[in-house]
Amino acid sequence: MYKFAITRPITTLMFALAIIFFGIMGLKKIPTALFPDIDFPIIMVSTSYPGASADVIESKVTDKIEEAVMGIDGIKKVTSNSARNISLVIIEFQLEKPIDEALNDVINKVSSVSFDDPNINQPSMDKFDTNGQAIISLFVSSDKIPIPNLMKHSENIIKPMLQKIYGVGGVQLNGYRERQIRIYADPTLMNKYGITYADLWNTLGSENLEVDGGRIVNGQKDFSILTDANSYKIDQVANIRVASNVKLSDIAVIEDGIEEDTTYAAFGDKPGVIFEVQKISGANEVDIADGVYKELPLIKAASPGYEIKPFLDTTEYIRSSIKDIEFDLMLGGILAVSVVFLFLRNFTITIVSAISIPISVMGTFALVQMMGYSLNMLTMVALTLSIGIIIDDAIVVIENIHKKLEAGMTKREAAYEGVREIGFAIIAISAMLLSVFIPVGNMTGIVGRFFQSFGVTVALAIAISYVVVITIIPMVSSLIVNPKQSRFYHWSEPFFKGMENVYMKILQKVLNNKIIIIVLVFAVFFGSIFVAGKLGTDFMLKEDRGQFYVWIQTKPGISIYDMQRRTVDFQKEIQKRPDVDFTTIQVGYGKIQSVFKSKIYVKLKPEKERKKGQFEIMDEVRKTLNAMPEAKVMTSIIPSEVPLIGGGDNSSFQAYIFAPTEKLVDESVAKLRDFLLNSPELKGKFGNYHTSTSDMQPQYQLTVLRQNANKYGITAQDIGKVVNAAFSGENQAAYFKENGKEYYITIRVPDNKRVSVEDIKRLQIKNKDGKLMFLDGLVDIKEDLTPSNITRYDRQRSVTVYGDPIKGSGVSLGDVLKLVTSKSSEWLSPGASIAFGGDADNLAETGQAFGVAVATAFILIYLILAALYESLLEPLIIMITMPLSFSGAFFALGLVGQPLSMFSMMGLILLIGMVGKNATLLIDVANEKRKEGNNVYQAIILAGESRLRPILMTTIAMVCGMLPLAIATGDGSAMKSPIGIAMTGGLIVSMLLSLLIVPVFYCLLAPLDDRIKKFYKPKEGDKF
């Protein structure tokens, strides 16, 4: 191939231009994202049951839906939350399950479920989790327009405009209340006219409706018949006859308003509606945000008198991170090329090596686009790290070509011989590198997606780089490389000669003291293992992104008005800080709208404009809010990062405790709490402890006194209907139709008639004689407690435990997981089980994936090298440096105080391949020298002298190529820095290993390898 490339320079040039062209085209088409597609296919089944309590919904709705869906193939877990009025069942599938197939499977199963109460609404299914983090949020408010009109405009105009954007799974409205025609019936006036609430309910249902009347058909026309008794104006509702000569307006106040306050939202001190735009699983975040910004002028044009502000745009971080890594990629390339020039001191040779970078990078972009990957942090980090591999390949070839030129060959001969001589070594190196990354591409699960995107990109870069160095590099070298050296070269050459002499002396001393050196090397390696054990492990490092949530919860039973007041007080306290830009609040957020829960979103000023970091501010905010008088009734006030993966509570430690009975769950959770907060291993080292459950909701329980009820011919159902109609205000008695939309007509007592238990007793009901009598005497009323929400995991009662290891305590997330798992017998009750979620689950998966990847890589490297070298021991000489190089990564991470994370583990995998390159080149030259008649000692000395500069040059070029990652501080640094630091430390140590330790093992194992080869190598006299 290289001979063809050298003899056909125009063809080779066109090939290079084609690579660049397809790379540019691919780059324009590649979607931008922060991470690969790591969205689990999630289907959320939402079912409303107005007026029902959590335990009723659990048995009548949630359990039936869970039972139906559990038999679907490919389910990872099923979680549910039963709360007042609503059931949410979230089915999470394995990552490989297509989302549309998952939705169809769920629809088929849920459609077969039958409910025994007509008040249970049909379940709705969404391809997203409403608890997930919104891609972008909008705030809508108005100083001029009444609140009911604002609500109507939000639902009817703005929401549909956002829903139609491609990739949007749903739009969650917080602070929004549905329009309702609310009827406040006065119990005193109703008693006057002998009307009960049940009578009023039935009357509205029968007097305000549409009834199909069939058809009239004659020879010419076909008429449909409709009996229309709907009310189309409020005064028509008021004129409905509810008794003899009694209109509805005689006994009630009719209000065209909005439903009762169960949610509240504000931006700063201005109330309004917050729109949270959420994506379908697998959709591209940046495309969705771009779609929202494109639609925003149209939304504003359709909303005169309204103020619309976009905020909490999570794609700002994505765009900034990708922009920074693009700069790192270019800077790494420039630094690597600069190192090459400093070593070779030849302008034309440096130019040839530099050419390989843009061509290889563009070729990789083209292949990445063809493979269907996105331009994300993993692919960009992989490309940045690949700069070292690309420049290394080019250096190996060019340096050899340059030696041939110095020997007196012509440019064309030197290009041909230079590539031919080391062609085998390049194949060995590329095959070895590919054997590291191809297994990574076959991983499954969320961590597999991370490693896959990274590994496949590096593998593609290796493949393209190999093609470039055996075609384009020799072609360009045969045309422009100038063997004549500059004055700078001759002036600086003594320094490099002196460096070679020093190295030769050190190498000879090392070879004369092999045993001592081996003992020292392994002592250092085991020392690094000890350091690694002290590092701890985390899934991803935390990063200052200038924003966070404060999650607030109190005991159920608080009114929304009191919760709103307290949350606003917290908000004002936060807003006082000079480093805060703005805040928003949401009380009763999400689909469940629990009024005892609220959250504050805090946007900080840019990092340059504040003196303190995000996590220091979060800690101060937590302490400040907990010290306020308003915090005394709060059960938890937890500042938390805005999540990058998933949504909701972003605590790093998340554990589902589930069991067949609530008692077993509560026992286990209590013991786990004690273990996390008071055990000798974790006391004072674990913070932000809280759980997914809340305290019990206070309720009045009415027990029917059957003897009295039977005496008067009153059934329990009669009593239940009267109480529900009077106090619920949630069930619809009838519909009000306007402009093709239907709105609830609801009934309840006025606000001043539902403040105490006495208001229940004063309700009247008709007995068997049609006479009114008070409920007092028919029921026994007791104050009781009921669950405010019931959570389940795989059809068992569950509680999720949240928390974080305290920073600087010496305990990492990995340590907590290890302790909780290994000592589960001390706190987990028999019959109860545990499953991890969030970062805890991802970290456990990362450790497994890393172990499999490293083991597979070592096995494949050995198999490939043994096949290429036709030797059983030579691969071991090369591979011995691979695990030893980890010591450099461990020491580097320990020096900067970073724990092992997913990204530093990726660095270790990449290190395996990179370290082997130098050893391979050294062994290859040593073998050539032995063939020339040198003994093992002389061969490795000559090989060391020959490869010193290339090894130094390629290693330093690699280190400089990833230096921008190692010292990164901007957006995305939590991902870039660990991999850069691990690689830098590992490469520096590997350079010393290649130059000093590989020769030691070569001297020890090569003679033994020669003896083994005698068994299978051709003997004298063999014909083949």
Side-chain angles (χ1 to χ4, degrees):
M1 187 184 282
Y2 42 86
K3 186 175 182 180
F4 176 84
I6 293 167
T7 55
R8 299 288 298 272
I10 299 301
T11 304
T12 309
L13 176 62
M14 293 305 104
F15 172 65
L17 293 175
I19 290 175
I20 294 170
F21 172 75
F22 285 114
I24 293 169
M25 293 294 290
L27 193 54
K28 287 183 177 180
K29 294 178 183 177
I30 299 176
T32 303
L34 183 64
F35 295 129
D37 180 12
I38 52 172
D39 294 329
F40 280 100
I42 289 176
I43 306 297
M44 188 187 71
V45 182
S46 173
T47 313
S48 63
Y49 184 6
S53 62
D55 50 356
V56 170
I57 283 180
E58 179 192 29
S59 59
K60 288 185 176 291
V61 181
T62 304
D63 187 63
K64 291 183 178 181
I65 293 173
E66 286 179 340
E67 184 179 11
V69 301
M70 285 300 285
I72 298 173
D73 182 49
I75 285 179
K76 184 181 182 187
K77 66 183 179 189
V78 175
T79 57
S80 66
N81 195 338
S82 303
R84 181 174 176 80
N85 301 328
I86 194 165
S87 159
L88 297 179
V89 178
I90 298 165
I91 306 108
E92 187 175 307
F93 291 86
Q94 297 294 341
L95 204 54
E96 294 72 29
K97 178 103 172 179
I99 184 72
D100 291 323
E101 183 185 327
L103 179 62
N104 290 333
D105 288 346
V106 173
I107 290 172
N108 291 337
K109 291 292 185 181
V110 173
S111 61
S112 66
V113 176
S114 59
F115 301 113
D116 54 13
D117 190 332
N119 288 319
I120 300 173
N121 295 317
Q122 279 298 311
S124 64
M125 277 143 279
D126 297 296
K127 292 192 284 187
F128 68 100
D129 180 4
T130 54
N131 295 317
Q133 175 58 42
I135 302 303
I136 184 171
S137 298
L138 300 180
F139 178 75
V140 179
S141 63
S142 179
D143 295 326
K144 306 169 186 174
I145 295 168
I147 291 292
N149 291 5
L150 168 64
M151 300 299 168
K152 191 160 67 171
H153 186 80
S154 297
E155 173 70 14
N156 298 340
I157 305 297
I158 298 176
K159 185 178 179 181
M161 295 179 80
L162 292 171
Q163 284 175 318
K164 72 179 184 180
I165 295 168
Y166 182 78
V168 171
V171 180
Q172 176 70 40
L173 273 61
N174 292 306
Y176 167 78
R177 283 157 288 153
E178 185 78 50
R179 182 189 180 190
Q180 278 186 0
I181 309 303
R182 300 168 72 177
I183 297 171
Y184 298 106
D186 190 310
T188 305
L189 292 173
M190 291 178 67
N191 294 343
K192 176 182 174 182
Y193 293 109
I195 304 168
T196 68
Y197 280 93
D199 294 337
L200 183 58
W201 180 279
N202 293 332
T203 300
L204 282 173
S206 60
E207 291 290 336
N208 196 87
L209 78 171
E210 292 174 322
V211 181
D212 178 46
R215 296 186 302 160
I216 289 180
V217 182
N218 56 37
Q220 287 79 35
K221 292 190 176 181
D222 184 338
F223 293 90
S224 62
I225 304 170
L226 176 69
T227 303
D228 187 357
N230 263 325
S231 301
Y232 293 95
K233 293 182 180 178
I234 299 301
D235 57 2
Q236 290 177 344
V237 178
N239 288 330
I240 292 175
R241 188 176 66 87
V242 294
S244 179
N245 295 320
V246 180
K247 295 186 294 186
L248 181 60
S249 57
D250 294 333
I251 60 166
V253 174
I254 299 99
E255 180 185 283
D256 184 358
I258 52 179
E259 63 186 342
E260 287 193 70
D261 293 345
T262 54
T263 176
Y264 173 82
F267 189 109
D269 59 356
K270 184 176 283 190
V273 177
I274 289 176
F275 294 74
E276 293 184 337
V277 180
Q278 292 169 318
K279 69 170 189 171
I280 296 172
S281 296
N284 183 265
E285 294 97 330
V286 175
D287 289 345
I288 292 171
D290 288 342
V292 171
Y293 286 121
K294 188 177 178 182
E295 194 72 18
L296 199 55
L298 300 176
I299 294 173
K300 288 182 176 179
S303 309
Y306 294 94
E307 188 179 356
I308 301 170
K309 295 179 186 174
F311 73 100
L312 217 179
D313 179 1
T314 57
T315 65
E316 287 178 355
Y317 174 77
I318 297 173
R319 296 173 209 266
S320 175
S321 297
I322 297 297
K323 189 178 178 182
D324 284 355
I325 194 74
E326 286 171 355
F327 174 78
D328 294 337
L329 178 64
M330 290 186 285
L331 180 59
I334 292 167
L335 289 173
V337 171
S338 302
V339 170
V340 173
F341 177 74
L342 287 173
F343 270 86
L344 297 180
R345 292 150 294 149
N346 185 302
F347 184 73
T348 55
I349 294 177
T350 305
I351 289 294
V352 175
S353 66
I355 286 171
S356 66
I357 295 175
I359 297 173
S360 298
V361 168
M362 283 301 166
T364 307
F365 279 136
L367 293 176
V368 165
Q369 192 268 329
M370 286 172 60
M371 294 284 290
Y373 290 115
S374 61
L375 193 68
N376 56 61
M377 283 298 293
L378 278 300
T379 51
M380 290 301 290
V381 166
L383 265 175
T384 305
L385 295 174
S386 299
I387 291 289
I389 298 171
I390 294 165
I391 200 80
D392 189 13
D393 288 342
I395 288 167
V396 169
V397 172
I398 293 166
E399 200 261 347
N400 216 44
I401 291 172
H402 187 254
K403 282 189 175 181
K404 301 302 176 189
L405 285 169
E406 287 182 327
M409 290 185 182
T410 64
K411 289 180 182 179
R412 181 168 286 201
E413 284 178 328
Y416 175 76
E417 287 297 325
V419 179
R420 187 193 62 78
E421 190 176 279
I422 59 163
F424 179 79
I426 295 172
I427 291 172
I429 290 167
S430 298
M432 181 175 60
L433 285 168
L434 287 172
S435 67
V436 173
F437 294 107
I438 288 176
V440 172
N442 293 319
M443 290 182 179
T444 57
I446 185 171
V447 174
R449 286 283 175 95
F450 275 107
F451 278 83
Q452 188 183 79
S453 185
F454 175 80
V456 170
T457 304
V458 176
L460 294 174
I462 292 165
I464 283 286
S465 176
Y466 173 75
V467 173
V468 168
V469 297
I470 64 168
T471 57
I472 297 165
I473 295 301
M475 182 276 286
V476 178
S477 299
S478 69
L479 297 175
I480 70 167
V481 169
N482 186 358
K484 293 182 180 179
Q485 301 294 1
S486 63
R487 289 182 181 178
F488 174 64
Y489 177 90
H490 292 295
W491 174 78
S492 56
E493 184 61 15
F495 167 77
F496 288 94
K497 288 290 185 185
M499 184 174 63
E500 286 175 357
N501 292 333
V502 171
Y503 166 66
M504 296 302 293
K505 290 177 182 176
I506 294 172
L507 180 58
Q508 287 169 359
K509 286 187 178 180
V510 165
L511 292 176
N512 291 332
N513 297 278
K514 299 183 192 72
I515 303 302
I516 296 172
I517 296 299
I518 289 172
V519 170
L520 285 173
V521 166
F522 279 99
V524 170
F525 176 68
F526 287 112
S528 73
I529 297 294
F530 175 78
V531 170
K534 296 290 184 181
L535 290 176
T537 50
D538 278 326
F539 177 60
M540 282 177 63
L541 301 187
K542 295 184 182 294
E543 182 182 337
D544 188 331
R545 290 188 282 124
Q547 57 184 357
F548 60 91
Y549 285 122
V550 180
W551 303 89
I552 302 165
Q553 185 171 327
T554 187
K555 293 181 179 181
I558 191 171
S559 73
I560 187 168
Y561 308 107
D562 191 25
M563 190 66 178
Q564 176 185 324
R565 179 186 63 78
R566 292 173 186 273
T567 305
V568 168
D569 288 344
F570 291 140
Q571 179 196 27
K572 287 177 180 176
E573 189 64 32
I574 295 170
Q575 197 67 57
K576 288 178 186 176
R577 296 185 62 94
D579 37 34
V580 172
D581 188 5
F582 67 84
T583 57
T584 69
I585 63 171
Q586 296 177 39
V587 181
Y589 52 85
K591 276 217 168 188
I592 293 179
Q593 295 186 344
S594 301
V595 298
F596 54 88
K597 292 181 180 180
S598 65
K599 66 177 177 179
I600 303 173
Y601 168 70
V602 183
K603 177 66 175 175
L604 301 176
K605 290 177 180 175
E607 207 168 350
K608 294 176 183 176
E609 297 178 24
R610 50 186 163 93
K611 296 178 181 178
K612 296 179 179 178
Q614 174 186 319
F615 298 101
E616 186 180 355
I617 293 169
M618 286 168 64
D619 191 48
E620 290 179 3
V621 164
R622 180 179 58 80
K623 291 175 181 175
T624 302
L625 298 189
N626 277 299
M628 291 174 66
E630 291 83 354
K632 289 180 181 177
V633 298
M634 299 298 161
T635 55
S636 64
I637 299 174
I638 308 292
S640 171
E641 289 181 279
V642 175
L644 286 173
I645 302 173
D649 196 316
N650 198 37
S651 300
S652 57
F653 179 83
Q654 298 182 22
Y656 299 99
I657 312 300
F658 55 100
T661 65
E662 189 72 39
K663 183 182 177 184
L664 286 175
V665 174
D666 291 342
E667 283 177 2
S668 299
V669 169
K671 291 178 188 173
L672 177 58
R673 181 185 184 279
D674 186 60
F675 179 78
L676 291 170
L677 301 181
N678 299 317
S679 67
E681 299 93 338
L682 292 174
K683 189 172 183 178
K685 299 175 182 179
F686 188 86
N688 280 349
Y689 175 91
H690 57 292
T691 66
S692 62
T693 54
S694 50
D695 290 333
M696 304 288 272
Q697 172 84 34
Q699 72 170 9
Y700 286 117
Q701 184 170 313
L702 279 62
T703 303
V704 177
L705 302 174
R706 295 198 178 274
Q707 186 175 355
N708 294 350
N710 293 340
K711 178 181 176 182
Y712 295 103
I714 298 170
T715 66
Q717 187 177 41
D718 295 335
I719 295 171
K721 280 184 176 179
V722 167
V723 174
N724 181 272
F727 291 104
S728 173
E730 293 170 345
N731 294 322
Q732 113 280 345
Y735 286 105
F736 178 79
K737 201 167 183 179
E738 184 180 85
N739 297 328
K741 288 185 176 289
E742 290 183 335
Y743 302 98
Y744 277 13
I745 297 176
T746 61
I747 304 170
R748 70 167 172 84
V749 298
D751 289 341
N752 62 349
K753 297 292 176 72
R754 59 162 194 172
V755 292
S756 73
V757 70
E758 297 302 317
D759 292 319
I760 302 174
K761 294 177 181 178
R762 281 195 286 265
L763 281 181
Q764 294 207 0
I765 189 170
K766 285 183 178 177
N767 61 23
K768 61 184 177 182
D769 299 323
K771 293 182 180 179
L772 295 180
M773 61 184 299
F774 289 108
L775 279 188
D776 192 15
L778 295 174
V779 293
D780 179 39
I781 304 175
K782 289 182 179 178
E783 192 172 330
D784 197 7
L785 296 172
T786 186
S788 55
N789 68 309
I790 299 169
T791 54
R792 311 211 316 179
Y793 184 98
D794 286 348
R795 297 198 70 200
Q796 296 189 50
R797 287 284 183 99
S798 76
V799 170
T800 309
V801 174
Y802 300 96
D804 296 288
I806 294 173
K807 195 173 181 181
S809 65
V811 169
S812 69
L813 177 59
D815 298 329
V816 175
L817 288 183
K818 191 175 177 182
L819 284 167
V820 167
T821 305
S822 62
K823 303 210 172 180
S824 60
S825 59
E826 295 180 14
W827 60 266
L828 195 63
S829 298
S833 304
I834 181 173
F836 293 110
D839 279 3
D841 183 33
N842 294 334
L843 179 60
E845 196 177 323
T846 301
Q848 284 182 326
F850 175 71
V852 171
V854 170
T856 307
F858 275 119
I859 291 167
L860 286 178
I861 287 172
Y862 179 79
L863 295 176
I864 289 169
L865 290 179
L868 288 171
Y869 282 102
E870 198 60 29
S871 169
L872 295 173
L873 288 184
E874 278 189 26
L876 296 177
I877 301 171
I878 295 169
M879 292 174 66
I880 196 73
T881 59
M882 294 175 182
L884 294 177
S885 67
F886 286 3
S887 60
F890 296 149
F891 285 131
L893 290 169
L895 197 63
V896 298
Q898 276 191 13
L900 272 171
S901 64
M902 179 180 66
F903 286 93
S904 54
M905 288 181 190
M906 285 182 182
L908 295 179
I909 292 175
L910 186 56
L911 203 56
I912 293 171
M914 290 227 180
V915 167
K917 289 188 77 171
N918 290 335
T920 302
L921 289 171
L922 198 67
I923 299 301
D924 202 54
V925 174
N927 288 342
E928 289 295 326
K929 297 297 180 185
R930 289 182 68 194
K931 287 176 185 176
E932 293 172 7
N934 295 291
N935 61 31
V936 171
Y937 182 85
Q938 291 170 332
I940 198 65
I941 289 285
L942 292 170
E945 184 182 19
S946 170
R947 301 316 303 170
L948 173 64
R949 293 193 199 185
I951 288 173
L952 288 174
M953 180 167 45
T954 55
T955 306
I956 295 170
M958 283 184 189
V959 169
C960 288
M962 59 193 66
L963 201 58
L965 300 182
I967 61 174
T969 55
D971 288 340
S973 58
M975 292 164 265
K976 296 183 292 186
S977 175
I979 201 166
I981 290 169
M983 287 291 298
T984 301
L987 282 172
I988 291 170
V989 168
S990 78
M991 179 177 69
L992 298 173
L993 290 170
S994 299
L995 292 171
L996 299 174
I997 309 306
V998 168
V1000 170
F1001 283 101
Y1002 187 81
C1003 286
L1004 291 172
L1005 295 179
L1008 181 59
D1009 188 46
D1010 290 341
R1011 292 178 194 170
I1012 294 172
K1013 283 179 180 177
K1014 289 178 182 178
F1015 289 104
Y1016 59 87
K1017 284 287 185 181
K1019 309 288 189 299
E1020 275 190 51
D1022 289 343
K1023 292 181 181 179
F1024 58 90

